[in-house]
Amino acid sequence: MLDQEINQQLRAIKNKFIVRTNEILLKSGMTRIEFEILNFIYNANKNKEEVKASSLAKCFEVSIPAVMHKLDALESKRFINKLMDPKDKRIKYYRLTEETKMKYEELFARQEKRVSDYLRALGAEREHLIKILDITLQFLEDEYD
């Protein structure tokens, strides 16, 4: 009975998180998959790596045409720029526009503040949550690796 209640609570938390995240992203003019693509590009560019459609397709386990469709949408919304490889014009790289980079960092900072506020509200229970999360991550790594 308790296991079922915990499972329902975890599912409710996950669903609430997804709904809330989608609301925030839609206000910013993007879908969750578009945000995931922007997140991939942001992190790659931060590490001085170039991003091609093929690397996105591999990461998200979808076809290159499916990724190209999303990249075209992101480019038309002016979230990303497409750059040609100077040595081979067939190769295209994708980067966030400066405005998108700032918007991304603002969204990320707001999310970090929410998490920080939540953890502060937990008070002494924070340490218990950290221990539970550590055990959960270890279980998932052992179970699915």
Side-chain angles (χ1 to χ4, degrees):
M1 200 68 153
L2 185 59
D3 290 349
Q4 188 176 20
E5 184 180 334
I6 291 170
N7 194 17
Q8 287 174 338
Q9 287 177 326
L10 289 172
R11 196 171 307 133
I13 289 167
K14 179 192 87 164
N15 290 340
K16 185 68 168 177
F17 181 76
I18 289 170
V19 167
R20 187 66 185 124
T21 300
N22 287 343
E23 289 170 356
I24 291 167
L25 293 174
L26 286 174
K27 285 180 185 175
S28 296
M30 66 185 87
T31 65
R32 197 170 77 220
I33 187 63
E34 288 173 339
F35 177 79
E36 293 298 331
I37 291 170
L38 294 175
N39 184 51
F40 183 94
I41 295 170
Y42 176 85
N43 287 305
N45 291 168
K46 193 169 136 182
N47 294 325
K48 307 288 189 234
E49 299 169 11
E50 297 290 359
V51 176
K52 299 187 286 187
S54 59
S55 57
L56 284 162
K58 184 177 180 182
C59 173
F60 292 103
E61 298 178 335
V62 296
S63 68
I64 291 177
V67 167
M68 292 302 302
H69 176 74
K70 290 295 180 188
L71 290 170
D72 289 344
L74 288 167
E75 189 176 20
S76 71
K77 292 178 182 181
R78 296 192 172 121
F79 287 151
I80 61 172
N81 290 321
K82 180 174 28 180
L83 305 155
M84 304 278 193
D85 184 299
K87 296 176 186 167
D88 186 344
K89 301 291 184 206
R90 296 172 295 171
I91 299 174
K92 295 164 186 65
Y93 299 109
Y94 297 90
R95 293 193 183 143
L96 301 185
T97 63
E98 282 304 312
E99 183 180 342
T100 303
K101 184 178 173 185
M102 289 179 4
K103 185 186 285 189
Y104 174 90
E105 289 170 348
E106 177 187 313
L107 281 171
F108 193 76
R110 268 195 279 160
Q111 182 61 27
E112 279 187 326
K113 183 181 179 328
R114 283 189 191 103
V115 171
S116 181
D117 291 346
Y118 167 71
L119 292 174
R120 194 172 22 268
L122 285 176
E125 298 299 323
R126 182 179 184 273
E127 294 303 318
H128 296 293
L129 177 62
I130 290 170
K131 184 170 175 117
I132 290 167
L133 292 173
D134 285 343
I135 292 168
T136 303
L137 285 171
Q138 188 62 52
F139 173 81
L140 291 172
E141 287 173 7
D142 293 346
E143 189 69 22
Y144 296 105
D145 281 348

